[in-house]
Amino acid sequence: LGRFKFFQNTRLHKAKNLLAGESEGIQYIICDLYFTVPDQHKKNKVSGRHRTLMILESPEGNLPPFAMRPSSKFTREMEGYRGMEDIDFQIHTVFSNQYRLMSEDEPAVRNLFEAQILDYFSQNPGLTLEANGRFIFLLHHPQLLEATSTQYEDLLKKGKEVAKVLF
């Protein structure tokens, strides 16, 4: 996880409820993470976070590095991307209004985010994801999922959709 900028400003404490597998040719891991980040409002303080996330493996491993979050949610987890400009698509304002997309390689990300990908994410608001070449991590819900709920099935379904669109 240290390869993802999302986690560069965090301290990981533990991972629980690990589920790993393969579905429709896509390797994945789903787990609950417990970590802390610097508090946004109090200097020298930390805030605890608990999130269920999914990691997907690209079979070709050639995704440009990028991070994407809902536009309204710039948090301490995004510190690794400070100073990078939001990549907007003038021909697709719905996507650009819904998401903040950042990368150190803007031309490669613009090349990846064709109309079909922009349409998919515009129709699926609220996703947080980051790619680093071979792996993508995905947050669909901003909290832990309930182990007994259908939310895990929903996350797996969403992850497979994202993989099909981006891979």
Side-chain angles (χ1 to χ4, degrees), residues 10-15 33-37 46-49:
T10 66
R11 180 169 176 238
L12 296 175
H13 294 281
K14 63 182 169 180
L33 282 185
Y34 298 82
F35 57 96
T36 53
V37 296
V46 294
S47 297
R49 301 278 198 274

Side-chain angles (χ1 to χ4, degrees), residues 118-146:
L118 295 169
D119 288 342
Y120 172 80
F121 288 115
S122 294
Q123 295 165 10
N124 292 275
L127 299 175
T128 295
L129 55 103
E130 182 178 338
N132 68 4
R134 187 170 183 170
F135 298 98
I136 291 178
F137 89 78
L138 168 70
L139 293 170
H140 183 47
H141 298 278
Q143 73 275 341
L144 290 175
L145 301 182
E146 294 180 29

